[in-house]
Amino acid sequence: MSAIVDQPAANCLVGTAPPSPAGPTDAEELQRLPRPPVVPLPRTAQMLRFNQRQIEFVFKARRKLGEVFAIRGTQPGAIVMTSHPDHVRSLFTARPEQAPSLTGESPLRPVVGPSSVLTAVGERHMRQRKLLLPAFHGEAIAQYAQMIADAVERAIDRWPVGRPIALAPRMQAITLDVIMGGIFGIDGRPALGSPEFALRRATRSLLYASTLPLAQVAELMNVGRDEPVGLQRAGLGLLDRPTYAVIRARREAADTEERRDILSLLIRARTEEGEALTDRELRDELLTLVLAGHETTANQLAWTWERLVRTPAAHERLLEAVRGDDDAAEVVEATIQEAMRSRPVIPVIGRRVTVPWRLGAYAVPAGTAVTMSILLLHHRDDLYPDPFAFRPERWAGRKPGTYEWIPFGGGIRRCLGAALAMAEQRVVLSEMARRLDLAAAEPEPEHAKHRNVTMIPARGARVVIRARRP
Ligand code: HEM
């Protein structure tokens, strides 16, 4: 008897996960099903390990306890973590009131206020999101490609050849230029003494200060507050003055109606009831965009290079494509998708379920914080065979699955800046590949370090520029 077996293609590098029931459930099922197993370590040890060695911690927990487990953090009760695409789907497609985002409880709350698109939940969140969305549509973003290319060109020409450099801070300088251009409409170098000049300088200083250990202390003092106190309040004051000055100047400018930058679009935006954003709302949203869009995009690019300079096949394929081939766009896209799969700069996101929730073989009560480990999901070997290998070719001819590739989150909280972040990554990656011959400064892969909610390369993605092409 000859059996025709439905064999997966030998080179199939993207697969599927077995189904796992998930979603809102009732008291009876909550009674019947067990709670997820808890990581067997004291609370403080768990917090320390999660904050300092999240990668080892979550991979070990999954190995020992399975794809749903609970950890103990700063708050009473356990935080549940899952990495199954069906569980992710249940949370991304949930009714907003049944699974509000944990970003409402984030340390950014006192910084950007409780009502910005990132920190608001429920109706207020939808109102802000609708106001902001048009500014981030693909067509709105397409106009930024040249501005991004100019920012990369300017930067590349200044980087030294032949000695080790960290790419992360250099990527941050580029993403800051893009934010100043795209969000505030400040191109190149603003005139000395102008509000734009002061804003650019204050933003740069504050973003730098936010990486210092003192900033973490200031952050702890502000946990759970709606308005900042102490050092954080003083620091933000320095940024607020020029921000409000730029907002005032733009409201009064003769060309605000024609301008295409995000600030001008937001000044013109109206809710369905015809309401405009107040100065305070504009300030909160602008700061949200700067904070959400700057480090994330920069470090994602840094990770891409950290991987590329250690994966010769993928590196060579990219260089060949951008320096000649006509399928360059496809190779660039696949490289970005693979980098965002293997090193998602935001490794975990979460929702607080307000009704009992089923997660496969387990159920959790209302009020539980349920997090989705993007990192673990992206390293499932049923979804991504050979998950630890960096293989852009796994994306050839495939679109990433909505609940299987989630570096930008999903559902009604999906990253608003995803189109801008993708445009930036395409342009920066292509320009750098076209112009630079890069090599790893050290052969060992870089560990991940955690800063606020991001996972970044510990040494800043150190490379050596072997040659710079004209
Ligand atoms: C590679 C770069 C980026 C990555 C990986 C990223 C990732 C994410 C993720 C995972 C979320 C969802 C958070 C959650 O569900 O809890 C998010 C939300 C958000 N992102 Fe991004 N982001 C990036 C760049 C940007 C940029 C460039 C901007 C804007 C300039 C931006 C603005 C936002 C905003 C406003 C939200 C909140 C959306 C909402 O809650 O409705 N992001 N981002």
Side-chain angles (χ1 to χ4, degrees), residues 313-326:
H315 193 184
E316 276 158 30
R317 181 74 197 97
L318 176 70
L319 296 197
E320 266 169 32
V322 300
R323 292 176 186 182
D325 264 1
D326 45 17

Side-chain angles (χ1 to χ4, degrees), residues 96 115-118 120 122-137 265-266 268-273 275 277 285 412-414 416:
S115 319
S116 95
V117 67
L118 186 77
E123 273 176 29
R124 172 75 196 190
H125 166 250
M126 288 315 281
R127 173 190 186 265
Q128 297 308 99
R129 201 171 156 96
K130 273 193 199 146
L131 282 167
L132 266 73
L133 261 174
F136 287 96
H137 275 162
L265 292 177
L266 290 182
R268 299 204 296 269
R270 295 290 178 272
T271 62
E272 278 159 15
E273 292 74 39
E275 292 163 343
L277 288 165
E285 298 303 356
I412 56 160
R413 310 288 316 204
R414 184 169 191 271
L416 258 183

